[in-house]
Amino acid sequence: MSVILTLLAALIATGACAYHRASLRTWAIATVITTVVVGLLAGAPWTTFILLVIELAIAVPLLMDGFRRKQISAPLLKMFAKVTPKLSETEQTALEAGTVGFEGELFSGKPDWHELLKQPKPELNVEEQAFMDGPVEELCSMIDDWQITHELADLPPEVWAFVKKHKFFGMIIPKQYGGLGFSALAHSAVLQKLATMSATVASTVAVPNSLGPAELLLHYGSDEQKNYYLPRLAVGEEIPCFALTGPYAGSDATSITDYGVVCKQVVDGVETLGMKLTFDKRYITLAPIATVVGLAFRLYDPDKLLGDKEDLGITLALLPRSTPGLEIGRRHFPLNIPFQNGPLHGKDVFVPLSVLIGGPHMAGHGWRMLVECLSVGRAISLPSNATGGVRGAVAATGAYARMRKQFGLSIARFEGVEEALARIGGLTYATAALSRATAAAVDRGEKPAVPSAIAKYHATEWGRVIAGDALDVHGGKGVQLGPKNYAGRAWQGVPIAITVEGANIMTRSLMIFGQGAIRCHPYVLKEMQSLSIADYGDRLRTFDRALFGHIGFGISNAVRAFTLGITGSRIGDTAGDAYTRRYYRKLNRYSAALALCADTFMGVLGGKLKFKEKLSARLGDVLSYLYIASAMLKRYEDTGRPEADRPLLAWAFHECMWRTQMALDGAIRNFPVKPVSWLLRALVFPFGRREVPPSDRLGRRVAAIITAPGEARDRLTEWVYLTPTANNTIGRMNALLPDVIAAEPVERKFAKAQKTGQFKSHDYLGQLSEALQAGVINASEFDLLKRVREGVAEFIAVDDFDPAELRAAVTRADRKKKLADAA
């Protein structure tokens, strides 16, 4: 027994040091003292002596810096250099671009929650709120989405004029250049509100404020380019587009086949140094109406007119629409969401070098420029549009489910519908928190490469889920297109957001964990960077520090994951109040599990992990759900810990934790080295999988929140256009919702009288009049039921058309003939 006690004490001391991430020196001292004290008190001198010898044999060589570097780190450095995979140019640039924010804490296995909670609360300033209440409200009142999507396939002239006049295209442009100079949060808020009325309008406004000429000019343009273009872009005098994607290169921009060749050519009698560009681009938003085209291409200098290099690399330029040889104007038709989008082409188009963004010295820096700007633009545009869509779905579907009746009951009371409503409410809470968190990161000066990928993927994926649930609840109302249908176009447009700015499959399987594992890890990038240090002594010292920090990090995460697993995440100091403390502790557990699995997968598989995309995708899911859950907790704190929001927070949090568990389980279960897989399972899930999806009872509470007016619903539908104007069915539905709820007890009283057979009329209004005469209801109740009946009749109505209205004005045969004539 004394031997066991001594061994156990030594293990506990070691585990405690690892759990709290004590230094190697602290571990050695603590373990030796514990072994000596417990061993002698327990009467086990020989066991104590043997353990001391083992402990000192481990600690002393490791604490001798020179010996450790020469005998341990040097051979490992040589081995590491051989097995470390060579990164492609695309991967290297992506890794070096951007910054690391709180997602790095989540990868640490021991997040510092105070770092998260001390971040300032994101809020609109007075000017931004005035813009939301003024021009944005007015623009929403002008939007007729059926006119845009079906009749014009474009914004009407008055809408184009309005967005230019009020500088909607200049939100990110500083005031010194005539723009609005808004924060990322305001940019996001504007897009969310517009998205509740029209995906086409929201996309049209998003693109000039996202990845495009304005963003690139702000960061890399010359003073001359900024002073010329930015004031024109701010007021819509210039309409920008950015041409990156082509038939043979999409996500991997470094493989684009579009090229430019540096050369000289006589222009207006003057020999001019420039380049001939050949390009074939497609899917370019705003291209058909653009007046200035941002172009990505690979630049070659065969005559070495600019320097010693022949292949200069990816380069970016700005071409005026009037450039001779630039072919532009035709349109794509993306799923009945007719934002301006189309191809552009050019062959041997000569332009001077002055069109290069930033000037000739920026030739070859295009991919880095794109990646850095994309991490900012992607954090705002698509997540904001998706968030506006799902917020709108809460307002519309919650109200519709409450007022639509079947079998004498509001359909919101049916458990199947309730389940869909719970998903809509819970996932919208998570999506809104995620969108706000990424916008806040941009406003703090970050370039959030990993969070932007998380936001783009999950906001659009959950947008797809919520759009499907909304259509399920609306039934036939949702599938009959027409002016009365506010849900159908949203469903049609979902795949567009899924596909653009990095297809979701690629974003999930390659980007989130692929970048996060190296960028967010506290040691991996340092180890890789050490290989590029020229001086061997410096290289070895840098590698040694990173290596042993990494080893301690791995041991700590194994201990933390196991300890928090066997205790059910019930121990440890953390943030939060009595209600949320358990949530923070659960995140601590899965943060340690993610760090442990990531280290193990990278250590065992090495470079092969890059090709194990399904494993990478699952670990990326874990990082994503931890980040989203953190964003929800920050939102809960920022809004004053409102008790009314707790069902929404609880539903979304449990959903994230259940998905986290399943992603970890899938990654461990499919890990190809089975003994390692078994060990990981024992450490991560010592008592098996204990997380469960949100309960039916919790889902019922969420459904109740989104089907009745209240403070939690108001926060969930923030930045939704709810003014009950003639063009806003959702706004009018929500205005009627209090009357619908007030009418419910009166309707029950009226229905009870109907069952007695005392009414002779067969129509509703006639029976209502008889109920009034019979004293079943009073005059105010009669008016209430009549008003609700008429309002609900409008909102459940669908459109029908004369067959001639549905025929295309231009047939496929007409189009073929026109193309043949043009050829």
Side-chain angles (χ1 to χ4, degrees):
M1 180 59 72
S2 59
V3 172
I4 294 174
L5 282 175
T6 306
L7 285 170
L8 190 59
L11 282 174
I12 291 173
T14 298
C17 289
Y19 183 91
H20 293 288
R21 300 203 169 158
S23 67
L24 179 62
R25 190 178 305 277
T26 302
W27 166 79
I29 294 170
T31 308
V32 167
I33 291 174
T34 301
T35 302
V36 170
V37 171
V38 175
L40 294 178
L41 289 176
W46 283 108
T47 301
T48 303
F49 176 74
I50 293 169
L51 282 175
L52 282 175
V53 170
I54 295 172
E55 290 163 3
L56 293 173
I58 295 172
V60 171
L62 294 180
L63 289 169
M64 298 169 61
D65 292 347
F67 177 86
R68 183 187 67 237
R69 290 187 193 124
K70 184 177 180 181
Q71 301 300 325
I72 302 175
S73 296
L76 291 175
L77 174 60
K78 189 180 296 185
M79 187 185 306
F80 183 71
K82 289 181 180 179
V83 301
T84 299
K86 183 175 178 57
L87 298 175
S88 69
E89 180 185 351
T90 305
E91 293 170 320
Q92 184 67 39
T93 302
L95 283 174
E96 293 175 355
T99 58
V100 177
F102 190 74
E103 68 277 10
E105 289 289 332
L106 296 172
F107 232 106
S108 73
K110 189 182 179 184
D112 184 350
W113 296 110
H114 300 292
E115 284 295 315
L116 174 70
L117 298 180
K118 77 179 184 183
Q119 293 170 359
K121 176 184 176 181
E123 293 181 295
L124 302 180
N125 63 34
V126 174
E127 184 182 359
E128 292 166 344
Q129 187 61 56
F131 189 79
M132 289 289 290
D133 297 337
V136 180
E137 275 277 314
E138 189 175 349
L139 177 56
C140 287
S141 73
M142 298 168 64
I143 293 171
D144 180 345
D145 200 46
W146 181 250
Q147 178 193 39
I148 291 170
T149 59
H150 185 74
E151 297 171 1
L152 300 179
D154 193 6
L155 308 188
E158 63 271 19
V159 171
W160 277 113
F162 188 89
V163 297
K164 292 177 181 179
K165 176 183 177 182
H166 292 279
K167 302 183 181 181
F168 278 82
F169 293 161
M171 287 190 287
I172 67 168
I173 296 175
K175 292 180 180 180
Q176 70 185 89
Y177 297 109
L180 295 175
F182 279 174
S183 65
L185 182 68
H187 177 188
S188 176
V190 171
L191 295 182
Q192 288 186 44
K193 197 161 195 172
L194 295 179
T196 65
M197 289 301 291
S198 171
T200 305
V201 176
S203 298
T204 301
V205 171
V207 169
N209 291 288
S210 180
L211 174 63
E215 182 81 19
L216 291 164
L217 285 169
L218 281 170
H219 287 88
Y220 310 106
S222 66
D223 288 340
E224 182 181 359
Q225 290 170 336
K226 291 178 182 178
N227 291 330
Y228 179 80
Y229 279 113
L230 291 177
R232 289 167 169 78
L233 291 168
V235 297
E237 185 179 338
E238 298 277 9
I239 301 295
C241 72
F242 189 82
L244 175 62
T245 303
Y248 301 104
S251 302
D252 183 10
T254 57
S255 66
I256 59 177
T257 56
D258 311 288
Y259 63 92
V261 178
V262 179
C263 61
K264 294 181 179 180
Q265 183 168 307
V266 176
V267 178
D268 297 330
V270 179
E271 187 177 60
T272 303
L273 180 62
M275 52 193 171
K276 285 187 176 180
L277 302 175
T278 297
F279 50 90
D280 182 16
K281 302 291 190 179
R282 63 182 183 178
Y283 311 151
I284 311 305
T285 299
L286 296 185
I289 60 167
T291 61
V292 59
V293 176
L295 186 71
F297 56 93
R298 183 173 287 276
L299 184 61
Y300 296 94
D301 185 12
D303 297 328
K304 300 185 178 178
L305 299 174
L306 299 181
D308 295 332
K309 288 182 66 176
E310 182 174 337
D311 182 356
L312 299 178
I314 303 299
T315 303
L316 308 182
L318 283 181
L319 276 60
R321 187 187 183 96
S322 58
T323 301
L326 173 59
E327 299 176 21
I328 186 173
R330 293 182 63 81
R331 292 183 63 179
H332 298 311
F333 190 34
L335 290 175
N336 282 336
I337 309 297
F339 58 92
Q340 294 283 341
N341 185 273
L344 52 89
H345 319 278
K347 183 172 176 59
D348 292 333
V349 178
F350 182 81
V351 291
L353 291 180
S354 60
V355 302
L356 295 180
I357 296 177
H361 71 281
M362 294 301 290
H365 295 282
W367 181 232
R368 176 180 296 279
M369 295 159 68
L370 287 173
V371 171
E372 289 182 348
C373 288
L374 183 61
S375 68
V376 174
R378 188 168 51 194
I380 306 299
S381 55
L382 288 169
S384 300
N385 287 356
T387 302
V390 300
R391 286 184 189 270
V394 168
T397 313
Y400 184 85
R402 190 66 180 258
M403 62 182 61
R404 180 67 165 136
K405 291 182 170 55
Q406 294 286 282
F407 306 104
L409 285 174
S410 164
I411 64 171
R413 296 183 180 276
F414 290 88
E415 289 198 353
V417 173
E418 191 180 78
E419 187 176 19
L421 292 172
R423 274 195 302 271
I424 292 171
L427 293 181
T428 297
Y429 186 88
T431 304
L434 172 61
S435 179
R436 185 181 290 260
T438 50
V442 173
D443 283 331
R444 291 193 300 272
E446 297 178 22
K447 293 180 179 178
V450 175
S452 69
I454 292 171
K456 190 273 174 180
Y457 175 79
H458 288 278
T460 55
E461 284 293 334
W462 283 344
R464 170 158 50 186
V465 172
I466 291 169
D469 281 331
L471 250 67
D472 279 355
V473 174
H474 282 81
K477 165 73 177 176
V479 299
Q480 298 297 339
L481 288 177
K484 295 183 176 70
N485 188 327
Y486 45 79
R489 291 299 192 211
W491 171 250
Q492 285 183 306
V494 161
I496 300 172
I498 298 291
T499 302
V500 300
E501 291 192 17
N504 276 10
I505 288 177
M506 184 207 71
T507 301
R508 176 175 178 260
S509 60
L510 295 178
M511 293 179 65
I512 296 175
F513 181 76
Q515 290 188 39
I518 297 175
R519 285 201 57 79
C520 301
H521 196 288
Y523 298 106
V524 169
L525 188 57
K526 294 176 183 176
E527 289 167 338
M528 296 177 70
Q529 289 172 335
S530 70
L531 298 178
S532 62
I533 298 175
D535 182 77
Y536 177 76
D538 290 341
R539 181 164 69 248
L540 181 58
R541 279 189 291 273
T542 303
F543 178 76
D544 174 76
R545 283 193 300 270
L547 172 66
F548 281 93
H550 195 160
I551 292 171
F553 176 77
I555 294 170
S556 173
N557 285 320
V559 172
R560 289 180 62 82
F562 181 72
T563 303
L564 293 171
I566 61 173
T567 59
S569 309
R570 290 184 176 88
I571 64 170
D573 292 332
T574 191
D577 58 14
Y579 179 76
T580 58
R581 199 167 293 124
R582 54 191 169 139
Y583 293 161
Y584 287 100
R585 285 175 174 153
K586 200 172 284 284
L587 291 178
N588 285 339
R589 173 191 176 184
Y590 287 116
S591 172
L594 169 63
L596 172 64
C597 289
D599 264 342
T600 305
F601 282 32
M602 288 188 289
V604 175
L605 297 180
K608 293 179 182 178
L609 181 58
K610 186 168 74 169
F611 305 102
K612 296 287 186 181
E613 294 175 21
K614 287 179 277 189
L615 294 180
S616 293
R618 292 183 179 105
L619 292 180
D621 288 343
V622 176
L623 176 60
S624 295
Y625 295 133
L626 294 178
Y627 184 82
I628 294 166
S630 303
M632 292 190 298
L633 289 169
K634 179 66 165 68
R635 181 187 190 275
Y636 177 74
E637 294 289 339
D638 284 344
T639 50
R641 299 176 176 175
E643 190 172 342
D645 283 10
R646 287 181 179 178
L648 294 165
L649 172 62
W651 193 100
F653 188 87
H654 289 306
E655 178 75 7
C656 282
M657 292 303 97
W658 178 70
R659 291 176 182 236
T660 297
Q661 170 190 261
M662 300 313 293
L664 278 170
D665 174 69
I668 293 170
R669 181 161 33 88
N670 288 281
F671 192 72
V673 183
K674 290 307 174 185
V676 175
S677 173
W678 299 332
L679 177 60
L680 282 175
R681 181 168 295 281
L683 291 172
V684 174
F685 298 118
F687 295 136
R689 296 173 301 178
R690 307 297 294 273
E691 304 291 347
V692 294
S695 68
D696 292 347
R697 184 167 175 262
L698 185 56
R700 188 174 302 115
R701 296 174 66 192
V702 172
I705 286 173
I706 73 168
T707 54
E711 58 170 303
R713 189 177 192 270
D714 289 345
R715 280 186 287 270
L716 210 55
T717 56
E718 184 183 24
W719 299 334
V720 175
Y721 180 61
L722 290 177
T723 306
T725 51
N727 69 323
N728 189 12
T729 305
I730 298 174
R732 297 197 309 279
M733 285 172 61
N734 278 268
L736 184 66
L737 185 57
D739 281 351
V740 170
I741 295 171
E744 287 176 348
V746 184
E747 287 174 332
R748 287 194 291 271
K749 183 168 57 174
F750 175 64
K752 187 176 180 181
Q754 279 179 314
K755 291 177 181 178
T756 66
Q758 61 180 291
F759 303 141
K760 296 180 180 180
S761 297
H762 295 293
D763 66 284
Y764 181 84
L765 191 56
Q767 291 181 345
L768 210 57
S769 299
E770 289 185 48
L772 177 61
Q773 293 171 1
V776 175
I777 58 175
N778 60 36
S780 62
E781 291 172 333
F782 174 88
D783 291 339
L784 175 63
L785 293 185
K786 184 173 181 290
R787 185 167 64 252
V788 168
R789 181 76 168 192
E790 290 170 351
V792 170
E794 177 196 352
F795 301 137
I796 67 174
V798 297
D799 297 282
D800 53 72
F801 301 89
D802 185 284
E805 295 180 76
L806 300 178
R807 296 192 188 106
V810 179
T811 65
R812 188 165 23 169
D814 294 334
R815 184 170 178 269
K816 286 182 178 179
K817 184 176 184 303
K818 186 177 180 180
L819 288 172
D821 291 344

